[in-house]
Amino acid sequence: MKAIRHILDTGLQFFCCSLFLLMIIVSTWQVASRYIFNDPSTVTEAILRCLLIWLSSVSIAYVVGQREHVSLTLLTDKLNEKWQLILAVGVEVIFIAFSFFVLIYGGGKATSNSMSQLYPILQIPKSIIYVPLVLAGVIIVIYSCLNCHSLYRPTAKMEN
Amino acid sequence: MFLGASLILILSFFILLIVGVPIGICIAVSSILTIIVALPIDIAIFTTAQKMVAGLDSFTLLAVPFFILSGTLMNDGGIALRLVNFAKLLSGRIPGSLAHTNIVGNMMFGAISGSAIAASTSIGGVMVPMGEKEGYSRAFAGAANIASAPTGMLIPPTTAFILYALASGGTSISALFAGGLVAGLLWGLGCLFVAYLIARSKGYTTKIDLDRLPIGQVIFQAIPSLFLVVLIIGGIVMGIFTAVEASAISVLYTLFLTMVVYRTIGWASLWSTLIKATKTTGVIMLLLAASSAMSFAMSITGLPAVIANAILGLSEDPIIVLLVITFLLLVVGCFMDIGPAILIFTPILLPIVKQVGIDPIHFGIIMVFNLSIGTITPPVGTGLFIGAGIAKEKVEKLIIPLMPFYIVIFAVLLLITYLPSITLFLPREMGL
Amino acid sequence: DENFNLKLAYAQNSQPVKDALARFGELVKEKTDGTVTVTYFPDSQLGGESELVELLQTGAIDMTKVSGGLMGSFSPLYDVFSMPYLFEDVDHFYAVMNDNKIMDDIYQSTREQGFVGVGWYDSGQRNFYTEDRPIEQPDDLKGMKIRVMQNQNAVDMIRLLGGAPVVMSQGEIYTALQQGILDGAENNEFALTTARHGEVVNFYSLDGHTRVPDIILINSNTLSRMSDSQRQALMAAVKESTQLEIAQWDAAVAEARRQIQENFDVKINDVDKSAFREAVQPMYEGLKNKPEQYQIYQEIENLRAANH
Ligand code: NA
Ligand code: NA
């Protein structure tokens, strides 16, 4: 279990950091091509929008794995350990259900629906912006299962 | 339909919130449940997925991860300490000087990073423990840090105005930035005023020993950090890049600053900084994506029209309309983070205020100011939680020391709400 | 007949379009004895145009009205409309839009994606507006950074005319013109008045490079569930609302031109299109590689001959 989490963590870290750096390079090129070379790139805007959606979706999923999405804990802090555990598992179950229905099913349908639609300028199927949603769904399901597993072993605290 | 829909929306949101479901998921799930009132369930689910992506598919939003990254880089790259030393020069002779330094530091950090959270962690992280050592009460030091952190959301560059420009259908970001600068400075001055009164009454007379500060060196070290302001404003004014592109340039400069000039970040720490920024991006982007779904849920069930009729039915006098909206937003701010609140409520409220003749730039500034207060009020307030963590103090214990700050900030809010020329003067003068 | 309450959503629009869409709702209710009614979601309440088409696809909404320029990403046939200097004049344009033989193929080309076209509105002609100098011949565009929509034809056109196309979202144009990031942009009159771009430019050059119609779309499933008489009533209502829109549009454009000159202090100049038309010929050569689009282009050309 630990190994799966480690591989997933590292993979996603590498992916997101690379996207971040790529986005900086492309944005800089957008400014430079226009201001310095007087030949504005017409594709950078569309590329950056795509990259933003990919970075956002995957980083949302990564944060689920780290259990760091912000929530209100004023009330849950006051509960005893048993109830805290129940609610924590409940939250993971909601994550799984949400991923399954909205991200995987909904995102999948959006992907197939937009196969015949072109993302302007790039001239590739618009599905390119819905695929990361499905991907995020799959990652969240895996992470949430891992989170549940580590919750059920109270001696072994969360790795993170 | 709207009554049932709004009931479902509010109830499901709060139930999920209270049991500890992450706020982004609360927003998304309550949106689906609301959309079901108007559309079949499979379409509701599918539409939610679509709206979440649509909410992210915007060039303007690119500024969000970039500002997060530059804020994190500044945080990890020791820029805070240099600004703190510089702030000491400005506020070191006043009673309660450490609190003042904290406030001024937050404003300066806010002026170079697009992220207010980064300000309160990096400046407050240095200043609050220092104040404690000097005998300040932890609650007071923490409160001064928390109360002044949101100035970073008003002093440009800021994500909040970028989101407002997006939600309002293309209001000028530069004009918002110029107006926000004045609002942010007023907020900061209000905090300095409160800190001064409290420090005097409690006898915190500790003054920083300025004679022992190497003034030349302090200024010399702070100049490259503060130069970012010149670079960004200069670049925008000279037409080199847009306000959105400026966020990328800001990252580029901060990388240069921390890796080459200060040499506080190496390749290994760059990796961990990027990972931190990725986490913050994930947290915020979930909120923004979900907000887009909630905005749709409200519109498809006809909520905007109901709210508009309710407010305009009360009065069409701009003074009353603004007052009603002010309180509405204060309540919203208590429960919702600033990003989602801007994305969800701008499309509902902007048509109303336009109808009574209020300038969209002015409204943007008072809306962001108002919702920034929400970031430091319970029960949901990122700035409050993070600030409490830094002060190592329970949130409940910080509310009383925060009270005088709340009052003055609220007074400033009323001031800029009813005297539009205060905030509109600068953008108009600059021809924006 | 089954009762229908059609959800009709649209983005930000000028008054003639809003009025015509409102009239469409009244007409369709009248003509179907109240069995078909319309609920409106105006002013981008439910999202921008490309989102609206996707909502239409799944049946989350029943009808929408979007720019024909956007439709190119759903069906390449619509891309013909964004070819520069395609129409001789406004009469040629109307003749094409009212020609069922041409338009039916185009309207039906998105059937498999879950929606079809049922009619069109005039959205005027797009012209250049610039800061430093008026555009009188293609050479005037040399080195100028001109904002265009996310559309390959628009990009190609600016390149062939000698300008530097900048792809930028609508919301950023005003500030970019003001900052000098852009030297100009291109759109119909309302961009200068309603979006107030007239405040930051000095010249509006009537070269009329494109006339891209707005297209009214309906979900195929909704349409097929209607009875024959309901469907005919709906089509008739669309047609009548188009007549109203055209009539109001002309008056609105005339008023906008007056405002552009008097309120915004922008100079309007006429343009001889022949050199421009010459310069973009390579695009029509390229169209031969897209037989379906080329065929529609030829049909449009035939009407030019018939009209003049
Ligand atoms: Na800021
Ligand atoms: Na709050």
Side-chain angles (χ1 to χ4, degrees):
Chain A
M1 288 296 171
K2 242 184 176 164
I4 299 176
R5 186 185 283 275
H6 181 74
I7 292 169
L8 207 52
D9 281 354
T10 319
L12 296 180
Q13 284 169 359
F14 184 77
F15 184 80
C16 291
C17 293
S18 313
L19 278 189
F20 245 132
L21 295 175
L22 188 61
M23 283 161 66
I24 297 168
I25 294 169
V26 178
S27 313
T28 310
W29 174 243
Q30 172 162 315
V31 175
S33 70
R34 189 183 60 228
Y35 187 74
I36 301 174
F37 304 104
N38 213 28
D39 181 19
S41 166
T42 51
V43 291
T44 46
E45 208 246 5
I47 291 176
L48 284 167
R49 280 167 54 191
C50 264
L51 292 178
L52 174 68
I53 295 170
W54 277 83
L55 173 69
S56 304
S57 311
V58 176
S59 62
I60 287 171
Y62 174 66
V63 177
V64 174
Q66 317 306 308
R67 304 191 72 204
E68 283 186 28
H69 276 298
V70 281
S71 55
L72 184 65
T73 54
L74 287 182
L75 186 108
T76 47
D77 284 347
K78 295 194 168 55
L79 297 172
N80 65 28
E81 228 165 81
K82 188 185 151 204
W83 274 101
Q84 280 190 358
L85 183 70
I86 291 172
L87 285 182
V89 173
V91 167
E92 298 300 336
V93 171
I94 289 178
F95 260 122
I96 293 173
F98 178 77
S99 308
F100 192 77
F101 287 112
V102 178
L103 304 181
I104 299 176
Y105 168 76
K109 211 170 155 205
T111 305
S112 65
N113 242 346
S114 53
M115 283 293 195
S116 56
Q117 187 190 346
L118 292 178
Y119 201 65
I121 299 287
L122 295 185
Q123 298 298 309
I124 48 174
K126 200 177 172 186
S127 313
I128 188 86
I129 68 167
Y130 291 113
V131 171
L133 207 60
V134 183
L135 179 66
V138 174
I139 298 169
I140 293 176
V141 169
I142 299 174
Y143 265 137
S144 289
C145 292
L146 290 172
N147 288 349
C148 281
H149 181 258
S150 38
L151 281 169
Y152 266 122
R153 288 163 41 233
T155 42
K157 283 273 173 218
M158 288 287 306
E159 287 98 302
N160 299 290
Chain B
M1 178 161 82
F2 81 91
L3 200 69
S6 45
L7 219 62
I8 291 174
L9 185 85
I10 292 170
L11 276 181
S12 58
F13 177 76
F14 279 111
I15 292 171
L16 291 167
L17 188 70
I18 286 168
V19 299
V21 175
I23 300 170
I25 301 295
C26 298
I27 296 176
V29 172
S30 60
S31 304
I32 298 175
L33 297 176
T34 311
I35 298 172
I36 289 174
V37 176
L39 298 172
I41 184 160
D42 60 325
I43 294 181
I45 287 174
F46 169 67
T47 306
T48 304
Q50 211 174 31
K51 280 289 152 185
M52 287 181 73
V53 172
L56 299 174
D57 185 17
S58 144
F59 184 75
T60 312
L61 267 193
L62 201 65
V64 175
F66 282 156
F67 280 146
I68 290 171
L69 180 54
S70 61
T72 316
L73 275 167
M74 289 173 197
N75 198 351
D76 292 359
I79 289 180
L81 200 65
R82 289 168 171 85
L83 290 181
V84 162
N85 283 335
F86 186 71
K88 277 181 192 165
L89 292 182
L90 300 177
S91 57
R93 295 188 190 281
I94 313 165
S97 52
L98 290 177
H100 288 103
T101 302
N102 192 342
I103 294 167
V104 174
N106 274 348
M107 289 163 73
M108 284 198 292
F109 199 89
I112 59 171
S113 77
S115 144
I117 294 166
S120 85
T121 39
S122 42
I123 305 286
V126 178
M127 291 313 297
V128 175
M130 231 188 253
E132 214 187 331
K133 252 189 248 160
E134 296 281 339
Y136 293 15
S137 85
R138 208 158 37 176
F140 166 67
N145 178 43
I146 291 167
S148 59
T151 52
M153 280 181 212
L154 291 156
I155 297 174
T158 107
T159 318
F161 286 126
I162 299 236
L163 292 181
Y164 176 79
L166 183 70
S168 62
T171 315
S172 159
I173 296 175
S174 318
L176 289 165
F177 276 7
L181 174 63
V182 178
L185 291 178
L186 285 177
W187 180 313
L189 285 175
C191 290
L192 287 170
F193 175 66
V194 174
Y196 173 76
L197 291 184
I198 294 178
R200 232 181 46 169
S201 75
K202 293 212 174 170
Y204 296 150
T205 48
T206 14
K207 292 195 180 94
I208 294 162
D209 190 359
L210 288 178
D211 301 333
R212 281 172 49 198
L213 268 182
I215 294 180
Q217 198 189 329
V218 165
I219 295 176
F220 182 73
Q221 287 206 328
I223 284 176
S225 306
L226 292 171
F227 179 72
L228 184 60
V229 182
V230 181
L231 182 77
I232 295 302
I233 294 177
I236 292 175
V237 169
M238 285 167 63
I240 301 173
F241 38 71
T242 66
V244 176
E245 289 164 346
S247 62
I249 302 302
S250 164
V251 173
L252 214 58
Y253 182 74
T254 315
L255 275 173
F256 170 74
L257 202 60
T258 51
M259 296 187 76
V260 180
V261 179
Y262 294 150
R263 291 176 181 273
T264 40
I265 287 189
W267 290 104
S269 47
L270 176 64
W271 175 253
S272 71
T273 301
L274 280 169
I275 291 171
K276 265 191 231 170
T278 298
K279 279 189 198 168
T280 317
T281 303
V283 169
I284 292 184
M285 286 315 205
L286 175 62
L287 291 174
L288 299 187
S291 307
S292 159
M294 180 168 273
S295 187
F296 177 85
M298 288 185 159
S299 297
I300 194 93
T301 50
L303 232 52
V306 175
I307 295 176
N309 290 339
I311 292 178
L312 291 173
L314 229 58
S315 167
E316 292 206 14
D317 181 352
I319 295 179
I320 310 277
V321 170
L322 277 181
L323 197 68
V324 174
I325 288 178
T326 298
F327 279 101
L328 176 71
L329 287 177
L330 281 174
V331 173
V332 166
C334 280
F335 299 101
M336 216 175 236
D337 237 326
I338 181 162
I342 290 173
L343 292 181
I344 294 167
F345 287 93
T346 304
I348 297 177
L349 298 176
L350 189 60
I352 303 176
V353 299
K354 267 187 179 166
Q355 205 173 319
V356 296
I358 289 155
D359 186 299
I361 302 285
H362 178 219
F363 184 67
I365 293 161
I366 52 184
M367 183 171 187
V368 169
F369 193 103
N370 189 321
L371 292 170
S372 298
I373 300 177
T375 63
I376 54 167
T377 60
V380 180
T382 328
L384 181 65
F385 296 158
I386 290 173
I390 288 162
K392 299 195 182 65
E393 192 65 273
K394 281 201 168 138
V395 170
E396 298 93 292
K397 293 232 168 95
L398 285 164
I399 303 303
I400 299 291
L402 271 169
M403 271 304 161
F405 288 104
Y406 288 147
I407 292 167
V408 169
I409 293 166
F410 181 68
V412 177
L413 171 63
L414 290 181
L415 190 72
I416 61 163
T417 302
Y418 289 112
L419 286 176
S421 53
I422 295 178
T423 45
L424 289 182
F425 173 76
L426 193 58
R428 279 188 188 143
E429 206 53 22
M430 292 169 72
L432 295 170
Chain C
D1 291 1
E2 191 186 337
N3 279 344
F4 290 90
N5 184 290
L6 304 178
K7 295 192 184 71
L8 192 163
Y10 56 88
Q12 257 81 25
N13 271 290
S14 57
Q15 204 54 45
V17 170
K18 290 181 163 199
D19 289 348
L21 286 170
R23 183 74 188 124
F24 159 74
E26 290 166 15
L27 286 168
V28 80
K29 187 175 174 189
E30 234 168 70
K31 290 176 194 289
T32 58
D33 298 320
T35 61
V36 178
T37 53
V38 180
T39 305
Y40 292 91
F41 298 91
D43 306 331
S44 303
Q45 269 184 19
L46 299 190
E49 292 198 333
S50 117
E51 291 169 55
L52 291 178
V53 179
E54 288 180 46
L55 291 173
L56 181 72
Q57 245 179 319
T58 58
I61 57 173
D62 303 289
M63 289 184 79
T64 185
K65 185 230 65 130
V66 299
S67 163
L70 166 77
M71 291 304 296
S73 56
F74 291 89
S75 155
L77 294 189
Y78 282 98
D79 269 337
V80 177
F81 291 121
S82 54
M83 292 293 285
Y85 311 102
L86 176 69
F87 299 110
E88 183 68 32
D89 52 23
V90 67
D91 294 326
H92 181 204
F93 171 67
Y94 287 165
V96 170
M97 295 313 295
N98 288 326
D99 187 307
N100 293 336
K101 188 177 160 299
I102 298 178
M103 290 311 293
D104 278 348
D105 285 346
I106 300 177
Y107 285 152
Q108 296 299 322
S109 61
T110 54
R111 172 172 287 280
E112 297 206 335
Q113 284 158 277
F115 58 95
V116 293
V118 284
W120 62 280
Y121 282 170
D122 192 353
S123 110
Q125 58 173 14
R126 297 178 75 96
N127 307 299
F128 290 115
Y129 50 96
T130 44
E131 261 186 286
D132 297 337
R133 53 175 187 263
I135 306 301
E136 283 161 337
Q137 51 203 357
D139 249 9
D140 293 327
L141 281 163
K142 201 151 239 131
M144 271 200 190
K145 294 183 192 109
I146 305 289
R147 182 267 174 179
V148 292
M149 293 181 293
Q150 296 214 342
N151 178 301
Q152 195 57 46
N153 280 346
V155 168
D156 293 345
M157 173 187 76
I158 302 289
R159 285 226 174 97
L160 286 170
L161 294 175
V166 177
V167 177
M168 187 182 269
S169 62
Q170 174 74 21
E172 286 195 287
I173 305 173
Y174 183 99
T175 329
L177 283 167
Q178 195 176 35
Q179 284 175 260
I181 286 177
L182 295 173
D183 299 303
E186 49 86 48
N187 209 329
N188 64 26
E189 284 77 359
F190 298 107
L192 284 88
T193 55
T194 314
R196 310 201 308 172
H197 294 175
E199 292 174 352
V200 284
V201 294
N202 297 312
F203 302 97
Y204 191 54
S205 308
L206 304 179
D207 75 307
H209 44 266
T210 51
R211 284 186 176 278
V212 182
D214 282 353
I215 305 292
I216 299 157
L217 301 167
I218 190 166
N219 177 282
S220 339
N221 198 15
T222 307
L223 192 65
S224 64
R225 272 169 40 223
M226 286 184 175
S227 70
D228 280 342
S229 65
Q230 283 174 325
R231 211 171 309 152
Q232 275 159 14
L234 181 121
M235 296 296 184
V238 170
K239 267 214 170 67
E240 259 184 65
S241 75
T242 304
Q243 291 312 313
L244 176 81
E245 196 262 350
I246 291 174
Q248 284 198 12
W249 184 268
D250 283 345
V253 165
E255 167 60 16
R257 285 192 186 171
R258 189 192 63 76
Q259 285 179 9
I260 288 171
Q261 286 169 303
E262 289 173 19
N263 304 3
F264 292 93
D265 207 16
V266 170
K267 288 189 184 60
I268 297 183
N269 63 291
D270 282 314
V271 178
D272 175 15
K273 297 181 197 177
S274 45
F276 290 85
R277 208 170 260 152
E278 194 60 35
V280 298
Q281 274 316 301
M283 289 179 71
Y284 287 96
E285 288 302 313
L287 206 58
K288 287 180 181 160
N289 301 327
K290 302 168 186 161
E292 285 179 322
Q293 290 182 49
Y294 192 71
Q295 193 197 331
I296 289 177
Y297 161 64
Q298 281 183 317
E299 287 169 26
I300 293 175
E301 274 299 290
N302 291 341
L303 280 181
R304 183 202 301 267
N307 245 32
H308 294 91

